[in-house]
Amino acid sequence: MISKKLLVAGAIAALSLTHAARADVIGTCDLAGATGTSLPVSTMANGYTVSVITAVGLPSVAFDNHFYFPGWGTTINTAKYFQMSVTNANPYVLNKMTFATESTTGTSATMYVRSSADNYASNIDSFTWASPTTEVTSGDFDFDALGTLAGTTTLRFYLTSTDANSYFG
């Protein structure tokens, strides 16, 4: 079993896995490639398959170097989320994910992550931010609760906000 660390940055844009003393990038997404509701993977490490990041149940409004959407709601709506999958034939452990978020207003928002390990039943972790100037904000998720994984693990990212009309991602 290899212990790994999953990193996502740039509004769910870059993926890295880390073990012991070195970091290995397993996938990278280029925000400039965002089209509609998907964000393609531009590179992948040997042994891993990383899916495109998709926006499910959200309007198709991705543009330029942004991958964010309106209409999230004030409570988790399980029909609206970002989704991605990581696959490896060998057992692996995802420890931590780091990422960057952005919004169109200074409204507070919270991003939650759930996984296919329990059929998306519970939050693994969450991150809340509010930037008064709508700047990009860095955050992280702790995945230790997932334990050892095998095959494909799908992650879903849900957002909530007090302003359902603002764009978040």
Side-chain angles (χ1 to χ4, degrees), residues 86-137:
V86 177
T87 303
N88 190 314
N90 298 309
Y92 59 97
V93 174
L94 301 177
N95 300 103
K96 187 166 290 281
M97 172 186 278
T98 60
F99 56 91
T101 61
E102 187 177 16
S103 64
T104 57
T105 67
T107 303
S108 177
T110 301
M111 183 182 290
Y112 304 85
V113 62
R114 296 180 179 186
S115 82
S116 56
D118 70 353
N119 200 28
Y120 316 103
S122 60
N123 296 330
I124 299 166
D125 203 356
S126 65
F127 173 76
T128 300
W129 78 96
S131 172
T133 59
T134 68
E135 296 173 353
V136 173
T137 304

Side-chain angles (χ1 to χ4, degrees), residues 37-38 53-59 67 69 72 77-84 156-158:
T37 57
S38 67
I53 298 170
T54 56
V56 177
L58 297 162
F67 192 69
F69 304 87
W72 290 99
N77 180 338
T78 58
K80 296 179 180 184
Y81 51 87
F82 293 135
Q83 177 172 286
M84 62 168 293
R156 289 185 179 169
F157 306 90
Y158 303 90

Side-chain angles (χ1 to χ4, degrees), residues 33-59:
T35 57
T37 57
S38 67
L39 184 60
V41 177
S42 56
T43 60
M44 261 181 275
N46 291 335
Y48 286 92
T49 302
V50 180
S51 72
V52 298
I53 298 170
T54 56
V56 177
L58 297 162

